[in-house]
Amino acid sequence: GDLAETQAARVGLYSNPLWSLVNDGFSSEASAAGYEVDWQTTSGDPCDDCLDLESDGPYLPGQLPTVPGGGDTVCLSNCKCILELVEE
């Protein structure tokens, strides 16, 4: 019950910032290699910012304004979106 929910919330507090770092590294490597990236929502109820980022893609190297979990969207570091390489 309550203890499990509390522990799950605490794990989220620690893991959410790591998601941002993973996405930042992915974005940097994709950009350096000249790949376009696409923002993909994965939650059942994405925030408006993430929906806009998804619809505005794909992004050319250096044009991605933020990364999932970066704290620059309405959902802040709770973002569950992913970045995907655009295959030609």
Side-chain angles (χ1 to χ4, degrees), residues 19 23 39-43 46 50 68-69 75 79-83:
W19 184 238
N23 282 303
W39 186 287
Q40 298 290 317
T41 58
T42 62
S43 75
C50 289
C75 55
C79 186
K80 304 297 181 231
C81 294
I82 61 171
L83 298 176

Side-chain angles (χ1 to χ4, degrees), residues 57-69:
Y59 295 90
L60 296 170
Q63 290 185 332
L64 189 64
T66 189
V67 295

